[in-house]
PDB file of all heavy atoms in Angstrom:
ATOM      1  N   ALA K 364      90.521 120.929 127.869  1.00  0.00           N
ATOM      2  CA  ALA K 364      89.870 122.185 128.264  1.00  0.00           C
ATOM      3  C   ALA K 364      90.318 122.626 129.654  1.00  0.00           C
ATOM      4  O   ALA K 364      90.624 123.805 129.879  1.00  0.00           O
ATOM      5  CB  ALA K 364      88.347 122.030 128.218  1.00  0.00           C
ATOM      6  N   SER K 365      90.380 121.687 130.597  1.00  0.00           N
ATOM      7  CA  SER K 365      90.816 122.043 131.944  1.00  0.00           C
ATOM      8  C   SER K 365      92.327 122.239 132.001  1.00  0.00           C
ATOM      9  O   SER K 365      92.816 123.095 132.758  1.00  0.00           O
ATOM     10  CB  SER K 365      90.376 120.970 132.945  1.00  0.00           C
ATOM     11  OG  SER K 365      90.821 119.690 132.563  1.00  0.00           O
ATOM     12  N   LEU K 366      93.080 121.487 131.193  1.00  0.00           N
ATOM     13  CA  LEU K 366      94.532 121.666 131.180  1.00  0.00           C
ATOM     14  C   LEU K 366      94.943 123.011 130.588  1.00  0.00           C
ATOM     15  O   LEU K 366      95.923 123.614 131.032  1.00  0.00           O
ATOM     16  CB  LEU K 366      95.190 120.533 130.399  1.00  0.00           C
ATOM     17  CG  LEU K 366      95.204 119.166 131.079  1.00  0.00           C
ATOM     18  CD1 LEU K 366      95.834 118.130 130.157  1.00  0.00           C
ATOM     19  CD2 LEU K 366      95.934 119.212 132.405  1.00  0.00           C
ATOM     20  N   TYR K 367      94.220 123.484 129.585  1.00  0.00           N
ATOM     21  CA  TYR K 367      94.504 124.820 129.072  1.00  0.00           C
ATOM     22  C   TYR K 367      94.301 125.854 130.181  1.00  0.00           C
ATOM     23  O   TYR K 367      95.084 126.795 130.320  1.00  0.00           O
ATOM     24  CB  TYR K 367      93.589 125.152 127.886  1.00  0.00           C
ATOM     25  CG  TYR K 367      93.857 124.359 126.637  1.00  0.00           C
ATOM     26  CD1 TYR K 367      92.804 123.955 125.804  1.00  0.00           C
ATOM     27  CD2 TYR K 367      95.148 124.024 126.254  1.00  0.00           C
ATOM     28  CE1 TYR K 367      93.035 123.235 124.646  1.00  0.00           C
ATOM     29  CE2 TYR K 367      95.384 123.295 125.092  1.00  0.00           C
ATOM     30  CZ  TYR K 367      94.323 122.905 124.290  1.00  0.00           C
ATOM     31  OH  TYR K 367      94.556 122.184 123.139  1.00  0.00           O
ATOM     32  N   GLY K 368      93.254 125.670 130.972  1.00  0.00           N
ATOM     33  CA  GLY K 368      93.037 126.578 132.093  1.00  0.00           C
ATOM     34  C   GLY K 368      94.160 126.502 133.100  1.00  0.00           C
ATOM     35  O   GLY K 368      94.631 127.536 133.600  1.00  0.00           O
ATOM     36  N   LEU K 369      94.617 125.287 133.404  1.00  0.00           N
ATOM     37  CA  LEU K 369      95.724 125.118 134.353  1.00  0.00           C
ATOM     38  C   LEU K 369      96.978 125.807 133.842  1.00  0.00           C
ATOM     39  O   LEU K 369      97.646 126.543 134.582  1.00  0.00           O
ATOM     40  CB  LEU K 369      95.991 123.628 134.569  1.00  0.00           C
ATOM     41  CG  LEU K 369      97.144 123.280 135.505  1.00  0.00           C
ATOM     42  CD1 LEU K 369      96.856 123.729 136.925  1.00  0.00           C
ATOM     43  CD2 LEU K 369      97.436 121.778 135.466  1.00  0.00           C
ATOM     44  N   GLY K 370      97.317 125.584 132.583  1.00  0.00           N
ATOM     45  CA  GLY K 370      98.497 126.216 132.016  1.00  0.00           C
ATOM     46  C   GLY K 370      98.372 127.721 131.945  1.00  0.00           C
ATOM     47  O   GLY K 370      99.360 128.442 132.079  1.00  0.00           O
ATOM     48  N   ALA K 371      97.158 128.205 131.754  1.00  0.00           N
ATOM     49  CA  ALA K 371      96.947 129.654 131.641  1.00  0.00           C
ATOM     50  C   ALA K 371      97.034 130.360 132.979  1.00  0.00           C
ATOM     51  O   ALA K 371      97.479 131.507 133.053  1.00  0.00           O
ATOM     52  CB  ALA K 371      95.586 129.927 131.012  1.00  0.00           C
ATOM     53  N   GLY K 372      96.607 129.685 134.066  1.00  0.00           N
ATOM     54  CA  GLY K 372      96.570 130.421 135.331  1.00  0.00           C
ATOM     55  C   GLY K 372      96.365 129.587 136.566  1.00  0.00           C
ATOM     56  O   GLY K 372      95.730 130.070 137.520  1.00  0.00           O
ATOM     57  N   GLY K 373      96.867 128.362 136.586  1.00  0.00           N
ATOM     58  CA  GLY K 373      96.767 127.558 137.796  1.00  0.00           C
ATOM     59  C   GLY K 373      95.324 127.288 138.187  1.00  0.00           C
ATOM     60  O   GLY K 373      94.453 127.111 137.331  1.00  0.00           O
TER      61      GLY K 373
END
Side-chain angles (χ1 to χ4, degrees):
S365 54
L366 288 177
Y367 291 144
L369 178 65

